[in-house]
Amino acid sequence: MPTERDILITGIGLVSCLGEGVDAHWKALNGAAFAPTLDTETFLSLAVHPIVKLELDRQIPKRGDQRTMEPWQRIGTYAAGLALDSAGIKGNAELLDRTDMIVAAGGGERDYAVDAAILSALPGAADPDVKLNEMLTSDLRPTLFLAQLSNLLAGNISVVHGVVGASRTFMGEEAAGVEAVRIACARIADGTSDLLLVGGSFNAERPDILLHYEMGRVLWKQPYAPIAERLGAGGGMLLGSVGCFLVLESRAHAAQRGAAPVARIAGIQSDRCNRAPGAATANAQRQFEALAANLNLQETAIISGASGVGVEEPIFLQGLNLPIRSPANALGHSLEPSFPANLALAAMAVSRGKLFAPLEAAEAVTDIKLKNALVTAWGHWRGEGMALITAT
Amino acid sequence: MSRSDLDARGRPVVVVTGMGVLTSLGQGQFDNWRELTAGTSGIRRITRFPVGGLKTTVAGTVDFVAVEEVSAPALSEKIAHRVIEEAIAQSAIGTVGNFPGPLFLALPPVELEWPQRRAIAAATGKNESITYDDLLRVATAVDFSPYYRRFLFGSVAENLAETFGTKGSPIAISTACASGATAIQQGVEAIRRGETAVALCAGTDASVNPESLIRFSLLSALSTRNDPPSSAARPFSKDRNGFVMAEGGGALVLESQAHARARGAKILGVLEGCGEKSDGFHRTRSSPDGKPIIGCMRNALADAGVTPEGVDYINAHGTGTPENDKMEWLGVSTLFGERAERIPISSNKSMIGHTLTAAGAIEAIFSLLAIQNGRLPPTINYDTPDPALPLDCVPNVTRDVQVTRVISNSFGFGGQNVCLVLAAPG
């Protein structure tokens, strides 16, 4: 039964190695033979899924804005612009003035040349600590800080696109993406917001990011293998650059302005645990039971947030006996925006009434009439979440 | 739920039943309030690292909390731990390791820092021409997994959630210098939605390290008045020239009034309203017309269901940068009209410095202590009034006066504006 406070997705902006926009992703995911888009050259033995080349002028018209940002912000600001375009609210100052925003973000790029110069100079310096102070003072670009602060993706979206209702940024890898969407949905459901931009951005093509995850021993360093195979061989993530924003809107507000909804977020759940054996599975099981209680499972698929690490997740998902797609096979794993991006892909599939093609041998071909998608998030370290996407 | 447990809009009234605070002035409500109302400055010369080559050499560092390996997230977590303990103890809620609600935590963005970066570089065995490729190689060869865990964006909140047994997935918030206020706002909203009856909201910041200091310095945001350190933070003074970085934390137990009453908890104050309004004018500067700041304060008052006449005291953002204080006055004078020159508005930052992501939480606590004690902490270092800001900043000396409702302002880079309205228990 439709209600005025139903949460509808009325805009999607998605960029990844597969291209720009929902249609490009649909096409790429249904191509004759899926082949991963990987950069295996730039970062030693660490492969990443690189962002497609973006014509920045189309979403970030001022060159000054482009220059002020680092890549993670450009990717995110670009994706946000696509989402606003797709919702038909780009440039609508009256609506944007009360469009709220929740961004899931990490931090920004460093000046790698400056870091390298400092690290190289310190061992021979008479007073390395003072040398560090001096070099940072003389070599850091003053505006780089603004490209590094977590909340400055949101800040740039406010400046470039004029989204100036509420602005909140959540940090914390995959879970931040889940919570951003959960809070956005809660605010629409309780009537404190009618129109929200929610999503995030991740640039995988960064040596500092790769250093971080390599220190955690969580990267896949062998030749490309799909997620199921990786999980069977000790696991490992292949990171991918992704920007994704969704425009969420109450049904009443969407109807009133004549917006065409793509899909509906019918429910969302999240939790944490310390990953003691069975704990994450118990969270996921509870979430599944809460969301799938009244579903016709014959019309339902799983869009999995599988990252490539973790042993319980594949067992849990296989146990559900539903068709599964793990988009990280194609986009790479993108931490903060991975859940919003998977919601976008689920919305895309549900709105077309069919699931996209398998991305690896472990994913079965299916011709079900797709009406629902359960989107899972299973943080590579912490955080479990799940959402139900249905037709509008 | 009795009628008075709902506000005028039929939402649960949200109250504060526990508070914990830690700043450069000390640990705990008692010590902080004593020093704050004595007009004591917590700003000192930085000793954590050598300051040679730096323009700013003072900060409100927290030097009395020991950590094994200093980093912003490590010290932030320790500070948060202490203030949360104090808040939960005062609230007397839950059992040890089992807090009956979610955690909303404001903390600084997390990143690998120079001591750790240098340790990785040292492991390469090279003394020159060190590149990120070298770091990547050595990260494969040598076990640096504790750094991975420490510098995840989610690990501080996750560790605290695990320790205190908060419910659900914790939310780690970054809205720059408004983060602490946003954490409180998230808690208020969760209680009003009926998601929970209780929430733990905290802000913590310990980012006084060379690179963070230099970054703010390069943006010309910091006071360079290093001697004496206590004179560095001078909000609203004509000769102000920047803020002073500082560390600290604040935690509040928020609770629906009905829940607090039912369990006989002492109510410390009411969180009447929250307002936010972002600013798309510029990444670091406020819109010159002040509209977002004015709109933010208006939103907070509207959310609380009160008019400017109902506000007795303003706990200023008051950073002491020329820009902030000018814009805050523009907002206050527009909103309060002819009363603007008479309503007391003081800046805790004159004493504790700018605790950045923790400021909103710490200053909400000081606002409630002002109501509770009938005393307004002063704005110290107010030696040279700025004729452009004809306000009553409670200059230099604490003032004894009963106030029942306070608006606390927080404004940050990235166009972040959040205001809270706090009031005496009903």
Side-chain angles (χ1 to χ4, degrees):
Chain A
M1 183 75 75
T3 74
E4 290 201 337
R5 302 315 307 173
D6 282 347
I7 300 137
L8 302 180
I9 299 173
T10 56
I12 297 177
L14 178 61
V15 290
S16 75
C17 66
L18 297 185
E20 164 182 335
V22 170
D23 291 338
H25 280 81
W26 182 253
K27 204 172 149 197
L29 291 170
N30 287 294
F34 168 74
T37 308
L38 277 177
D39 173 356
T40 57
E41 307 282 318
T42 310
F43 305 102
L44 303 179
S45 60
L46 302 168
V48 292
H49 295 267
I51 195 77
V52 70
K53 186 166 170 41
L54 301 173
E55 277 183 54
L56 293 176
D57 293 353
R58 289 169 50 200
Q59 292 296 343
I60 311 171
K62 288 188 189 160
R63 289 296 166 93
D65 286 334
Q66 293 179 19
R67 274 195 304 272
T68 308
M69 296 183 216
E70 288 291 318
W72 78 289
Q73 291 172 331
R74 292 188 203 115
I75 293 168
T77 305
Y78 193 96
L82 286 180
L84 298 174
D85 265 337
S86 124
I89 61 173
K90 173 77 87 52
N92 184 332
E94 188 274 320
L95 283 180
L96 295 174
D97 187 59
R98 56 188 174 84
T99 300
D100 298 318
M101 172 161 50
I102 308 182
V103 174
E109 285 83 355
R110 298 191 60 79
D111 187 325
Y112 304 104
V114 169
D115 282 357
I118 292 174
L119 289 174
S120 303
L122 295 186
D127 186 333
D129 292 322
V130 172
K131 183 78 175 166
L132 175 67
N133 292 347
E134 289 169 354
M135 289 187 77
L136 287 171
T137 300
S138 61
D139 296 356
L140 280 182
R141 275 180 293 122
T143 55
L144 181 65
F145 188 23
L146 303 177
Q148 295 172 316
L149 285 168
S150 300
N151 73 305
L152 258 293
L153 169 52
N156 275 293
I157 293 171
S158 293
V159 169
V160 173
H161 299 304
V163 178
V164 289
S167 167
R168 303 176 188 174
T169 295
F170 295 170
M171 303 181 294
E173 289 77 34
E174 297 92 341
V178 177
E179 292 308 313
V181 177
R182 186 178 71 80
I183 298 296
C185 291
R187 294 200 58 207
I188 290 178
D190 79 353
T192 57
S193 183
D194 272 321
L195 188 58
L196 256 146
L197 180 68
V198 60
S201 167
F202 180 73
N203 177 17
E205 300 153 75
R206 289 170 51 173
D208 57 327
I209 288 278
L210 293 168
L211 174 64
H212 181 252
Y213 288 99
E214 177 63 1
M215 290 192 295
R217 298 285 188 271
V218 288
L219 296 179
W220 180 254
K221 294 188 291 180
Q222 300 172 51
Y224 179 84
I227 285 173
E229 271 181 46
R230 280 185 252 154
L231 288 168
M237 306 193 291
L238 284 167
L239 299 179
S241 300
V242 170
C244 182
F245 277 87
L246 308 172
V247 174
L248 304 185
E249 199 164 354
S250 68
R251 183 182 296 280
H253 193 271
Q256 184 253 329
R257 70 177 187 94
V262 183
R264 175 181 163 220
I265 302 181
I268 179 166
Q269 303 264 325
S270 70
D271 211 338
R272 70 166 295 277
C273 65
N274 60 10
R275 296 285 169 95
T281 300
N283 279 347
Q285 185 64 37
R286 267 195 301 276
Q287 293 166 0
F288 177 76
E289 283 163 12
L291 293 172
N294 301 312
L295 281 188
N296 178 352
L297 293 177
Q298 304 302 317
E299 303 169 332
T300 304
I302 302 279
I303 305 296
S304 153
S307 62
V309 297
V311 291
E312 288 185 28
E313 183 184 18
I315 298 168
F316 169 77
L317 291 177
Q318 291 300 328
L320 298 178
N321 278 319
L322 295 169
I324 298 178
R325 297 292 182 265
S326 297
N329 274 318
L331 282 68
H333 186 56
S334 60
L335 288 303
E336 290 86 2
S338 63
F339 186 69
N342 287 339
L343 288 175
L345 296 173
M348 170 188 89
V350 166
S351 72
R352 286 165 167 80
K354 59 187 278 200
L355 191 56
F356 45 89
L359 300 169
E360 58 173 313
E363 298 181 353
V365 175
T366 175
D367 59 357
I368 62 167
K369 272 187 70 70
L370 189 73
K371 292 204 172 159
N372 318 297
L374 285 162
V375 181
T376 68
W378 195 300
H380 78 282
W381 179 59
R382 287 288 186 273
E384 295 82 38
M386 196 180 292
L388 172 61
I389 299 285
T390 67
T392 59
Chain B
M1 191 179 286
S2 87
R3 214 179 151 74
S4 65
D5 287 333
L6 300 177
D7 68 13
R9 295 199 217 170
R11 306 172 301 190
V13 171
V14 178
V15 299
V16 179
T17 58
M19 305 191 290
V21 65
L22 189 159
T23 71
S24 53
L25 293 175
Q27 182 177 349
Q29 291 177 53
F30 183 83
D31 284 5
N32 270 282
W33 190 246
R34 185 190 60 217
E35 297 304 323
L36 204 67
T37 50
T40 310
S41 171
I43 309 307
R44 62 203 68 181
R45 193 167 169 84
I46 295 168
T47 55
R48 185 176 297 159
F49 50 87
V51 293
L54 301 179
K55 276 202 269 185
T56 292
T57 58
V58 300
T61 48
V62 169
D63 296 323
F64 56 88
V65 177
V67 284
E68 277 174 22
E69 182 172 350
V70 174
S71 67
L75 186 51
S76 298
E77 185 174 318
K78 283 261 176 150
I79 291 173
H81 189 108
R82 292 197 184 187
V83 295
I84 289 171
E85 272 186 329
E86 184 188 1
I88 292 179
Q90 184 176 26
S91 178
I93 196 163
T95 52
V96 175
N98 184 19
F99 182 87
L103 170 65
F104 301 101
L105 181 74
L107 78 160
V110 179
E111 58 188 344
L112 191 73
E113 295 170 19
W114 280 100
Q116 292 79 22
R117 194 173 291 112
R118 286 164 70 176
I120 300 167
T124 66
K126 294 177 75 171
N127 283 321
E128 52 189 4
S129 305
I130 300 169
T131 66
Y132 266 89
D133 279 355
D134 296 314
L135 303 186
L136 282 172
R137 280 191 204 97
V138 80
T140 302
V142 178
D143 180 13
F144 285 107
S145 54
Y147 291 172
Y148 154 75
R149 187 68 60 86
R150 180 71 281 166
F151 296 104
L152 280 163
F153 281 85
S155 65
V156 174
E158 275 289 334
N159 293 344
L160 293 167
E162 179 74 10
T163 302
F164 292 100
T166 56
K167 301 299 172 272
S169 195
I171 295 186
I173 289 154
S174 174
T175 54
C177 301
S179 302
T182 303
I184 292 170
Q185 180 184 27
Q186 293 284 142
V188 169
E189 289 181 355
I191 292 170
R192 284 177 177 170
R193 281 196 294 267
E195 251 172 51
T196 180
V198 188
L200 182 57
C201 303
T204 183
D205 203 309
S207 30
V208 178
N209 58 53
E211 185 163 339
S212 295
L213 188 94
I214 288 164
R215 285 165 171 169
F216 280 120
S217 191
L218 289 172
L219 291 174
S220 305
L222 297 183
S223 170
T224 52
R225 188 169 174 141
N226 296 310
D227 285 313
S230 62
S231 75
R234 27 202 330 109
F236 309 124
S237 225
K238 192 168 192 305
D239 54 1
R240 67 190 186 274
N241 77 343
F243 73 80
V244 178
M245 280 184 84
E247 301 179 325
L252 298 93
V253 174
L254 302 189
E255 199 167 347
S256 75
Q257 183 170 281
H259 189 271
R261 280 186 177 165
R263 68 182 187 92
K266 180 174 163 55
I267 292 172
L268 307 173
V270 183
L271 222 318
E272 287 188 327
C274 316
E276 59 192 321
K277 181 71 189 139
S278 49
D279 188 337
F281 175 71
H282 187 268
R283 290 162 187 84
T284 58
R285 282 170 36 224
S286 298
S287 184
D289 60 11
K291 276 186 181 164
I293 285 176
I294 298 161
C296 183
M297 295 176 76
R298 280 206 174 111
N299 288 345
L301 293 175
D303 190 51
V306 298
T307 60
E309 290 69 44
V311 176
D312 306 317
Y313 165 59
I314 301 168
N315 186 292
H317 188 54
T319 58
T321 64
E323 164 87 0
N324 173 82
D325 296 2
K326 185 181 79 178
M327 295 311 299
E328 190 163 13
W329 168 247
L330 175 60
V332 165
S333 57
T334 307
L335 192 65
F336 288 87
E338 61 172 32
R339 205 177 143 230
E341 295 185 17
R342 298 194 309 275
I343 185 168
I345 168 170
S346 69
S347 170
N348 307 149
K349 293 182 179 78
S350 62
M351 292 170 280
I352 62 167
H354 189 352
T355 53
L356 303 166
T357 58
I362 291 172
E363 291 166 19
I365 291 168
F366 289 155
S367 297
L368 288 173
L369 289 175
I371 292 171
Q372 211 174 79
N373 294 288
R375 306 197 86 188
L376 304 183
T379 302
I380 68 165
N381 296 320
Y382 190 69
D383 301 332
T384 317
D386 182 345
L389 314 175
L391 40 68
D392 170 12
C393 70
V394 192
N396 302 316
V397 182
T398 288
R399 185 180 303 164
D400 288 314
V401 52
Q402 287 299 325
V403 292
T404 57
R405 185 175 289 112
V406 178
I407 185 165
S408 178
N409 291 338
S410 296
F411 311 128
F413 282 178
Q416 309 273 182
N417 301 304
V418 181
C419 299
L420 304 175
V421 178
L422 306 110

